[in-house]
Amino acid sequence: MSTPEPRTETAERDESRHDTRDDARPASEAPRPAHDEARADERPAMNRDGVPLARVRRAPRIMPFLLTGAVIGALAGLFVSLDGGDGGNYTASSSTGYLVVLFGALGTLLGGLAFVVADRRS
């Protein structure tokens, strides 16, 4: 039997830095938070090589909503200007341009609102 070496101050300081609690485990053995267990079914599927497959984002894109709203609004402005009466002091083309831009902007705004509603539902 060999006799243990006497402890030095530096060895005691080094030991005091380490966590000596019974429940201290390496990071690989640490318990998982509860939210990880709840999301176990949401983990991505793996292919044959063990590489995770990409997830498909099912959220709508904003540009189609805005462009559709702008086109529908511009067409509505065009129809209102063609059906409208006298433009007052403005020429027919300038009043048509104003209404197309105004209704196009309003349509873009409504398209953005439709996007927000669709995004919240997805």
Side-chain angles (χ1 to χ4, degrees):
M1 279 194 160
S2 66
T3 60
E5 294 182 21
R7 292 185 156 209
T8 62
E9 280 185 39
T10 56
E12 287 175 8
R13 269 189 266 135
D14 288 342
E15 240 179 60
S16 67
R17 276 190 245 153
H18 297 292
D19 193 4
T20 57
R21 292 179 290 162
D22 291 337
D23 61 342
R25 299 180 208 158
S28 62
E29 297 177 13
R32 290 185 176 164
H35 61 76
D36 280 351
E37 294 171 9
R39 294 184 183 191
D41 58 334
E42 295 179 12
R43 291 196 176 118
M46 302 284 189
N47 67 4
R48 284 181 282 170
D49 300 328
V51 178
L53 300 175
R55 288 186 178 187
V56 177
R57 184 171 184 252
R58 299 193 45 95
R61 297 184 331 194
I62 192 167
M63 284 310 291
F65 281 89
L66 295 179
L67 290 176
T68 302
V71 168
I72 291 173
L75 289 175
L78 183 66
F79 288 129
V80 166
S81 71
L82 294 177
D83 189 38
D86 185 22
N89 294 334
Y90 299 106
T91 64
S93 62
S94 66
S95 64
T96 300
Y98 289 136
L99 288 174
V100 165
V101 168
L102 178 68
F103 277 70
L106 291 174
T108 304
L109 214 99
L110 290 176
L113 182 64
F115 167 77
V116 169
V117 170
D119 191 40
R120 294 216 185 232
R121 292 189 72 165
S122 67

